[in-house]
């Protein structure tokens, strides 16, 4: 009982339910290991007793972080304050002169008092305390002094009730940017290609958004892990995505001969991918771009450009300096900071300070690359907006970071070392999953007012029309797996979802960005409702939308939820053509991934697909007797358009009949995950220019294109 009580006080589960009628106990060793990662000693019964006494004896007037939602009752943390307590709020700096702190007394009827400025009806400005803004959204400091002279200080997050919403109806493309090569790409898709795709899709097709994979900075390696979901840093983008020729200083490089040689080598890389069956080689692309960018960095910035760069450095502050320093040290000592010389493993040590001085030029280069990449991200969003897109670029937030990368080095106190995020066993994976990503410590987040999360969101949302959050359930709880143990020996650790959501809503509100949560798979009861209440859209994939509470058949379009991104597939699932033909089952069979006989898997797959096709036929979305694959793909998207979903996403490879998944979960070397260009049904790569001219694409997009959108023949740009 003592261990269970101690675990509960720290948000560590001692059991979990993989299904409503099943409860699984978590091994005590797992609970003890997870508590240790949270700084709680539970190794012996005596340790448990001591830690339990310490935890239960802590009495605070306030928790570390307090959340107030505009227009809603105050939380218990404030309504339970003793009457007569003095509450002082120091407003968050808003860029201008600092606002003065404001104090007031908690009234006798403490349960009904309101925080000044946060009420269902806007108060008369004359009634607000001096210096208090309406509405006072922000992350403030609050101090409480009780009548008995006890004091407490906490972070006060005041957030609007909901994130900004996308238009009532809009459609767009989902694409893995690296896979989208144009005639000008340097061996993989880049931000220039993204801007061009957005400009074309918005103007020609009336599309409202382009959703891309995470563009986070990767951990360099030999080879570099190609997965965009295991980054070095989620806070800063990877300069491998830069379109080199679009950097203003490119035209002023003196060594044109070397630059021309690099361009020729880049053209050869693209030629190999597009016409010779080569895979996308991120490392080779980066080697060429690195050399070109180092030449470009030798060109002095103009006064205006220098001023913009200095502004960027000031805005990003310590976070950028740490990231750039990690990149510079990694060039010398390798990409895993755990193997660096002892003094360099601490970002605040004197040895690291000396390294910063010795590597100053490289640190500045990496800072400049971050600036250039942020500038091109802004250019892509601007191109989308100029093309009439209501949303624009939808960026993706990975669920975690690589244990050896820049974020875990710079923010060591924020991560639970010796732990990895994953998923428990379920009906689809009896062994569970270990993603190799260290989780944030919920106690450290709360103690710092969620500073790391706030900074991460602010950076991502700076140039985003919307943000997709991978495994959005992680705002509520995550499955922690102790190092060296199988995923089955993990357990759930809860986070303060109210605080996480408040920070998310606040930062999205500041950026004017919508938020889409990837809520597929095992979802704890109440999570989808909590997200919907705050305006976070869900994700609905056609093949999974069935009447699970009824007969289990495909869910009729009118029964789908409205507040979601509806799509036929994702980067982790088969393309629509592969799903319709069963190719995805035979692919998994060839790779030895099936857990049942091929015939059994095929029968189940064919039956499920047939149920959907029958529904499409009954709804007159699939022409009678038309067994054509293209017609079926159009029918699937016609169905998606018939749902009330606010956003309809089209997997860009579906528009040209690509059958290959970009990622096949459960594989590593057996399948070229994250390295395939978009291809036609025969597997021949196609360029952005060929995609834009594809009759198949235009036939599909007629299903989704708003009537008001201007059209142009394939291959011809609108006037």
């Amino acid at each position: 009982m003592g261990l269970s009580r101690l675990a509960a006080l720290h948000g560590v589960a001692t059991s979990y339910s993989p299904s409503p009628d099943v409860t699984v106990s978590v091994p005590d060793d797992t609970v003890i290991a997870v508590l240790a990662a949270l700084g709680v000693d539970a190794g012996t019964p005596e340790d448990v007793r001591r830690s339990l006494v310490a935890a239960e004896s802590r009495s605070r007037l306030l928790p570390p972080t307090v959340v107030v939602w505009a227009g809603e009752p105050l939380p218990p943390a404030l309504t339970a304050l003793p009457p007569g307590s003095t509450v002082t709020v120091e407003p968050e700096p808003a860029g201008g002169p600092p606002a003065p702190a404001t104090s007031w007394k908690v009234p006798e009827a403490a349960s009904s008092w309101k925080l000044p400025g946060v009420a269902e009806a806007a108060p008369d400005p004359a009634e607000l305390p001096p210096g208090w803004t309406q509405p006072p959204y922000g992350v403030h400091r609050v101090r409480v002094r009780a009548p008995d002279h006890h004091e407490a200080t906490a972070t006060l997050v005041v957030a609007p009730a909901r994130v900004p919403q996308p238009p009532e109806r809009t459609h767009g493309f989902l694409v893995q940017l690296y896979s989208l090569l144009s005639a000008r790409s340097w061996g993989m898709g880049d931000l220039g290609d993204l801007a061009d795709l957005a400009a074309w899709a918005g103007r020609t097709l009336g599309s409202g958004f382009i959703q891309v994979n995470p563009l986070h900075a990767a951990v360099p390696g030999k080879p570099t892990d190609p997965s965009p979901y295991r980054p070095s840093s989620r806070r800063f983008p990877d300069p491998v995505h830069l379109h080199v020729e679009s950097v203003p200083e490119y035209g002023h490089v003196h060594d044109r001969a070397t630059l021309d040689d690099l361009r020729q080598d880049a053209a050869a890389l693209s030629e190999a991918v597009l016409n010779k069956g080569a895979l996308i080689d991120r490392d080779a692309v980066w080697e060429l771009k690195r050399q070109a960018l180092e030449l470009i960095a030798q060109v002095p910035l103009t006064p205006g450009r220098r001023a913009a760069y200095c502004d960027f450095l000031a805005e990003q502050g310590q976070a950028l300096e740490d990231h750039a320093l990690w990149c510079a040290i990694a060039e010398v000592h390798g990409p895993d900071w755990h193997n660096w010389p002892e003094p360099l493993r601490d970002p605040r040590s004197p040895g690291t300070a000396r390294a910063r001085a010795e590597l100053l030029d490289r640190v500045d280069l990496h800072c400049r690359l971050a600036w250039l990449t942020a500038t091109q991200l802004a250019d892509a969003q601007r191109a989308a907006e100029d093309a009439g897109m209501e949303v624009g670029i939808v960026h993706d937030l990975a669920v975690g970071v690589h244990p050896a990368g820049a974020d875990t080095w710079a923010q060591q106190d924020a991560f639970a070392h010796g732990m990895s995020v994953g998923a428990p066993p379920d009906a689809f994976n009896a062994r569970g999953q270990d993603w190799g990503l260290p989780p944030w410590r919920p106690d450290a987040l709360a103690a710092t007012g969620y500073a790391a999360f706030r900074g991460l969101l602010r950076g991502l949302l700076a140039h985003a029309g919307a943000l997709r959050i991978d495994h959005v359930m992680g705002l509520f709880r995550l499955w922690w797996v102790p190092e060296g143990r199988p995923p089955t020996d993990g357990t759930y650790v809860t986070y303060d979802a109210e605080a996480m959501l408040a920070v998310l809503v606040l930062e999205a509100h500041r950026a004017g960005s919508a938020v889409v949560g990837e809520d597929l798979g095992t979802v704890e009861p109440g999570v989808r409702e909590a997200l919907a209440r705050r305006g976070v859209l869900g994700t609905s994939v056609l093949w999974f939308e069935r009447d699970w509470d009824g007969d289990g058949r495909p869910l009729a379009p009118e029964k789908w939820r409205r507040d979601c991104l509806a799509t036929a597939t994702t980067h982790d699932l088969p393309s629509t053509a592969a799903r319709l033909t069963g190719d995805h089952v035979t692919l998994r069979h060839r790779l030895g991934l099936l857990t049942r006989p091929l015939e059994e898997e095929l029968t189940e797959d064919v039956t499920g697909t047939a149920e959907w096709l029958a529904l499409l036929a009954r709804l007159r979305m699939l022409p009678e007797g038309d067994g054509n694959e293209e017609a079926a793909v159009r029918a699937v998207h016609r169905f998606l358009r018939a749902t009330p979903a606010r956003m309809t996403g089209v997997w860009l490879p579906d528009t040209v009949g690509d059958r290959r998944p970009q990622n096949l979960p459960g594989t590593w070397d057996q399948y070229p995950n994250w390295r395939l260009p978009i291809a036609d049904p025969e597997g021949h790569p196609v360029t952005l220019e060929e995609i834009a001219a594809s009759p198949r694409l235009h036939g599909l997009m007629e299903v989704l294109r708003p009537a008001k959108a201007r059209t142009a023949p394939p291959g011809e740009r609108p006037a």
Side-chain angles (χ1 to χ4, degrees):
M1 285 296 293
L3 182 61
S4 296
R5 173 65 180 153
L6 184 63
L9 289 173
H10 292 88
V12 179
T14 54
S15 66
Y16 67 97
S17 298
S19 59
D21 56 343
V22 176
T23 299
V24 178
S25 295
V26 175
D28 285 353
D29 286 352
T30 295
V31 176
I32 292 169
V34 170
L35 285 170
L38 292 170
V40 180
D41 192 355
T44 67
E46 182 57 35
D47 293 333
V48 171
R49 282 193 291 272
R50 248 193 325 269
S51 296
L52 196 53
V53 168
E56 292 180 330
S57 64
R58 294 190 194 106
S59 60
R60 291 179 54 96
L61 281 172
L62 292 173
T65 299
V66 178
V67 171
V68 172
W69 297 101
E72 298 181 14
L74 292 183
L78 294 179
T79 58
L81 289 173
S85 297
T86 301
V87 179
T88 302
V89 172
E90 299 171 357
E92 178 184 32
T102 304
S103 299
W104 60 90
K105 295 279 188 181
V106 174
E108 289 299 320
S111 62
S112 62
W113 72 288
K114 289 191 177 293
L115 187 70
V118 183
E120 294 186 16
D124 185 325
E127 297 177 3
L128 291 176
W132 194 257
T133 59
Q134 166 60 32
Y137 301 148
V139 180
H140 316 295
R141 295 297 294 170
V142 58
R143 296 195 310 274
V144 172
R145 181 181 177 88
D148 63 1
H149 302 296
H150 279 89
E151 295 187 0
T153 304
T155 298
L156 176 67
V157 181
V158 183
R162 288 165 61 82
V163 300
Q165 296 297 286
E168 284 299 316
R169 298 284 285 176
T170 188
H171 70 81
F173 289 120
L174 319 178
V175 62
Q176 300 285 290
L177 181 57
Y178 59 84
S179 71
L180 181 70
L181 280 75
S182 70
R184 64 181 188 174
S185 301
W186 283 38
M188 61 183 279
D190 58 40
L191 291 171
D193 298 323
L194 177 60
D196 201 48
L197 174 67
W200 168 76
R203 296 177 190 278
T204 304
L205 305 175
S207 299
F209 65 91
I210 304 290
Q211 178 182 301
V212 296
N213 55 285
L215 304 181
H216 310 318
V219 177
K222 296 183 179 180
T224 297
D225 185 344
S227 171
Y229 291 91
R230 281 172 54 82
S232 170
S233 173
R234 295 186 294 175
R235 176 64 183 80
F236 295 100
D238 198 309
V240 75
H241 300 112
L242 281 168
H243 179 240
V244 175
E245 290 94 330
S246 293
V247 177
E249 288 74 37
Y250 175 86
H252 301 281
V253 171
H254 294 298
D255 189 353
R256 305 307 299 182
T258 300
L259 208 53
D260 289 343
D261 288 343
L262 293 172
R263 289 182 61 188
Q264 290 178 12
D265 291 343
L269 278 180
S270 291
E271 171 69 14
V273 171
L274 294 171
N275 297 311
K276 297 181 181 179
L279 298 174
I280 292 170
D281 188 338
R282 180 191 181 103
D283 292 335
V285 171
W286 174 237
E287 178 58 26
L288 296 178
K289 288 191 176 183
R290 180 189 62 77
Q291 295 180 52
L293 291 165
E294 287 177 350
L295 290 174
I296 291 171
Q298 296 173 16
V299 178
L301 296 174
T302 65
R305 295 270 290 165
R306 169 62 61 181
Y309 178 44
C310 290
D311 282 351
F312 180 79
L313 293 175
E315 290 166 3
Q316 304 306 316
Q318 187 69 52
L320 176 59
E321 185 175 334
D322 287 344
H323 174 70
L325 179 57
W326 182 92
C327 293
I329 297 176
E331 292 175 337
V332 178
H333 296 289
D336 187 345
W337 62 268
H338 300 90
N339 298 328
W340 291 355
E342 184 71 34
L344 301 183
R345 298 176 198 172
D346 179 357
R348 305 291 171 251
S349 74
T352 300
R354 286 192 295 274
R356 180 183 289 108
E358 294 165 359
L359 298 171
L360 192 59
D361 288 345
R362 299 304 296 179
V363 171
D364 182 67
L365 172 67
H366 289 291
C367 286
R368 187 183 295 202
L369 294 181
W371 170 58
L372 293 176
T373 311
T375 300
Q376 291 196 5
L377 287 169
D379 291 342
Q381 176 64 10
R382 192 176 305 112
E385 293 171 347
D386 290 347
M389 286 192 168
E390 304 99 325
V391 177
I393 309 302
V394 182
H395 286 283
D396 198 350
L397 172 61
V399 71
V401 293
H402 197 287
D407 281 2
T408 58
W409 176 72
Q411 303 169 11
Q412 292 178 37
D413 292 342
F415 288 92
H417 301 282
M419 294 287 141
S420 176
V421 174
D426 57 28
F428 301 100
N429 193 328
R431 290 174 289 187
Q433 300 176 56
D434 182 344
W435 302 331
L437 308 170
W440 265 334
R441 286 180 53 163
D443 57 332
L445 286 176
T448 58
Y450 294 82
F453 189 42
R454 285 154 45 202
L456 167 60
L457 290 173
R458 191 165 296 186
L460 282 171
L461 289 166
H463 310 300
L467 179 66
R468 174 192 181 268
I469 300 180
D470 192 44
H471 194 72
V472 71
M473 298 82 79
L475 298 178
F476 296 76
R477 67 178 185 178
L478 282 171
W479 184 257
W480 287 23
V481 181
E483 185 177 342
R485 301 189 186 184
T488 50
D489 285 355
T491 190
Y492 280 113
V493 175
T494 59
Y495 292 75
D496 185 345
E498 193 81 348
M500 299 284 276
L501 280 173
V503 171
L504 172 64
V505 172
L506 175 63
E507 294 300 336
H509 175 80
R510 284 172 162 166
S513 300
V515 179
V516 178
E518 186 269 294
D519 56 351
L520 304 174
T522 302
V523 183
E524 187 181 10
V527 167
R528 288 195 174 105
E529 293 77 8
L531 292 169
R533 183 183 180 193
R534 299 304 169 199
V536 177
L537 275 61
T539 301
S540 292
V541 178
L542 181 132
W543 311 102
F544 302 153
E545 291 296 312
R546 291 175 173 267
D547 184 8
W548 298 115
D549 295 327
D551 58 13
R553 293 187 177 277
L555 197 64
E558 67 273 10
K559 294 184 178 180
W560 282 43
R561 54 181 168 171
R562 171 175 171 269
D563 294 325
C564 74
L565 167 64
T567 182
T569 190
T570 72
H571 59 270
D572 282 333
L573 297 172
S575 69
T576 304
R579 176 81 67 172
L580 290 168
T581 59
D583 285 2
H584 69 109
V585 178
T586 55
L587 172 61
R588 289 166 55 220
H589 172 67
R590 289 199 306 272
L591 297 175
L593 299 177
L594 298 184
T595 57
R596 296 182 296 172
L598 175 61
E599 295 73 17
E600 190 176 329
E601 292 271 2
L602 283 173
T603 298
E604 181 178 293
D605 184 70
V606 168
T607 300
T609 302
E611 289 179 336
W612 277 104
L613 292 176
L615 175 59
L616 297 176
R618 287 198 303 274
L619 295 174
R620 300 182 182 277
M621 295 180 179
L622 183 62
E624 186 176 352
D626 193 341
N628 180 279
E629 176 195 302
E630 288 188 44
V633 173
R634 287 195 296 271
V636 164
H637 289 83
R638 193 174 287 117
F639 179 96
L640 293 175
R641 190 63 170 171
T643 72
R646 298 181 71 119
M647 300 175 71
T648 303
V650 180
W651 179 236
L652 188 60
D654 273 350
T655 66
V656 290
D658 197 345
R659 280 171 161 71
R660 307 175 303 177
Q662 281 294 317
N663 178 50
L664 193 57
T667 63
W668 180 248
D669 292 332
Q670 310 99 303
Y671 187 80
N673 295 317
W674 317 112
R675 289 172 287 172
L676 292 172
I678 297 175
D680 64 18
E682 288 72 43
H684 300 140
V686 290
T687 63
L688 170 57
E689 293 81 2
E690 291 167 331
I691 292 171
S694 167
R696 179 164 179 156
L697 176 143
H698 285 271
L700 171 58
M701 297 311 293
E702 283 294 340
V703 171
L704 300 170
R705 181 184 293 146
K708 67 179 181 180
R710 294 178 294 170
T711 61
E716 183 178 320
R717 299 185 66 86

